Amino acid sequence: MQETPFCLRVGHRLPYSMSNSNTTDFTNPSTFILLGIPGLEGAHVWISIPFCAMYAIAILGNFTILFIVKRDPSLHWPMYYFLCMLSITDLVLSTSILPKTLSIFWFNSREIDLSACLTQMYFIASFTAIESGILVAMSLDRYVAICHPLRHSTTLTNPVVAKVGLAVVLRGGMLALPYPFLARSWPYCRTNIIPQSYCEHIAVVKLACADIRISSYYGLFVVFSVIGLDVSSIAVSYTQILRAILNLPTKDARLKTFGTCGSHLCVILAFYIPALFSFLTHRFGHNVPLNFHVLMANVYLLVPPMINPIIYGVRTKQIRDRLFHLFTQKGT
């Protein structure tokens, strides 16, 4: 007997007869099913331990940075304002995925509402672009501070810092806006199972039974325009910074000045390397195991929020001293 063709938009019911071991019924057509880490379902509880630890460190570390900068007026400078923006962005990024991921690992709570899925997709895309923009702003701050120190206080005033922050947020928000609208416009007729632990854009639209080249090309445009432009800007800034450092008269002065940039360079590498690896393997790494890709897709959203406050806490003398003073003050 000939099989009945079907192609349903989200909101229609998928006949039970069409389901098999690899698909699921649209018992609630407005939901998707997140698998977590495919192939490692038996290890979900164990995987949740480092994930939960990373999230706890990210929450504690970033809130500590915000608290220290807010409390100490001597830290009310552009570098620390941008650092606070980075901490807020990291808190939003990690909170966008971890609560749902842990609910999958601990309680097998795999369903996610369509609206919640699209909202999560938007927050991940927008705040990833925002974090990239903040890293560019921080490199600009270091460039002015090292290459034009006498003009730093007059160039990067509080209103200028606020405008830069607003421009970064608007850029990220506007570039990510088409993602959920495009994803919602496609017809879905294959399955509502997402082989991920969160609603990543391309993983969702791949479920559509339509030509999704618009979504795919737009995703490529955003990634390469944002990362290409931002990495180029950072590279130009640090090329000028390196030239200025090498022109300093003494070795001690060169080491001290380069040390002020070391923490920022570590943060840049920790953000861009996992993000680019995850993006490229998702689209071009067809031989990469799915569970490894999903792990990397989580790592690039979890590791930077965890290590950023650690890097700045350890390598930035002002924050390290304030943190030490805070603990010793409580101890007495």
Side-chain angles (χ1 to χ4, degrees):
M1 186 174 66
Q2 186 176 5
E3 189 175 5
T4 304
F6 65 100
C7 187
L8 307 173
R9 289 186 175 273
V10 173
H12 292 194
R13 184 178 296 275
L14 179 67
Y16 182 80
S17 60
M18 300 305 298
S19 64
N20 55 39
S21 60
N22 295 321
T23 61
T24 187
D25 295 338
F26 284 87
T27 53
N28 184 352
S30 61
T31 62
F32 285 110
I33 306 297
L34 295 168
L35 288 185
I37 302 178
L40 296 177
E41 289 85 356
H44 274 176
V45 173
W46 296 106
I47 296 171
S48 72
I49 296 174
F51 275 37
C52 188
M54 286 190 287
Y55 185 50
I57 294 170
I59 294 293
L60 178 61
N62 286 292
F63 270 117
T64 301
I65 295 288
L66 293 171
F67 175 76
I68 290 174
V69 174
K70 182 180 184 301
R71 186 178 180 184
D72 194 336
S74 66
L75 298 180
H76 293 179
W77 288 90
M79 172 183 173
Y80 301 103
Y81 290 145
F82 289 131
L83 179 56
C84 287
M85 295 179 196
L86 185 67
S87 291
I88 293 171
T89 304
D90 284 338
L91 287 169
V92 174
L93 266 180
S94 56
T95 304
S96 295
I97 67 165
L98 244 296
K100 182 59 184 177
T101 299
L102 292 177
S103 73
I104 296 171
F105 291 168
W106 290 343
F107 310 114
N108 203 31
S109 176
R110 300 173 185 269
E111 289 193 358
I112 184 169
D113 182 77
L114 173 63
S115 298
C117 183
L118 297 179
T119 301
Q120 186 184 56
M121 180 192 300
Y122 174 77
F123 270 83
I124 292 170
S126 61
F127 277 87
T128 300
I130 289 170
E131 177 144 353
S132 181
I134 293 171
L135 293 177
V136 174
M138 295 175 80
S139 68
L140 173 64
D141 170 71
R142 292 298 84 205
Y143 164 74
V144 177
I146 293 172
C147 298
H148 306 283
L150 298 179
R151 295 193 296 181
H152 184 262
S153 59
T154 56
T155 302
L156 288 174
T157 60
N158 287 348
V160 170
V161 170
K163 290 176 182 177
V164 170
L166 180 61
V168 167
V169 171
L170 288 176
R171 185 192 71 159
M174 294 300 292
L175 285 174
L177 199 58
Y179 282 139
F181 287 102
L182 285 171
R184 196 179 192 107
S185 68
W186 301 125
Y188 294 88
C189 62
R190 295 170 182 163
T191 178
N192 62 346
I193 296 178
I194 302 173
Q196 265 276 16
S197 58
Y198 62 87
C199 291
E200 198 268 341
H201 168 247
I202 199 67
V204 174
V205 299
K206 276 183 176 180
L207 304 181
C209 50
D211 188 347
I212 60 167
R213 281 183 294 181
I214 295 176
S215 286
S216 182
Y217 291 158
Y218 183 74
L220 288 170
F221 163 75
V222 170
V223 169
F224 284 113
S225 61
V226 169
I227 292 182
L229 180 63
D230 291 356
V231 170
S232 297
S233 300
I234 292 170
V236 170
S237 296
Y238 270 93
T239 300
Q240 297 300 317
I241 289 171
L242 185 60
R243 290 176 59 186
I245 290 174
L246 293 177
N247 288 330
L248 292 174
T250 66
K251 182 179 179 180
D252 288 341
R254 289 194 291 269
L255 290 175
K256 183 178 179 181
T257 306
F258 187 77
T260 64
C261 302
S263 55
H264 186 224
L265 285 172
C266 292
V267 168
I268 289 171
L269 294 175
F271 175 74
Y272 285 113
I273 291 176
L276 276 173
F277 182 84
S278 177
F279 169 79
L280 292 175
T281 55
H282 196 94
R283 284 167 172 78
F284 308 114
H286 303 297
N287 296 323
V288 177
L290 180 59
N291 52 19
F292 180 75
H293 166 71
V294 174
L295 279 172
M296 287 303 302
N298 283 274
V299 163
Y300 97 86
L301 293 177
L302 289 178
V303 171
M306 177 191 69
I307 68 172
N308 287 352
I310 295 175
I311 290 172
Y312 279 104
V314 171
R315 295 187 60 90
T316 306
K317 183 178 184 300
Q318 293 84 345
I319 293 179
R320 188 171 64 245
D321 290 346
R322 301 312 186 278
L323 188 60
F324 180 75
H325 177 72
L326 180 66
F327 281 111
T328 54
Q329 191 177 40
K330 285 186 176 181
T332 57

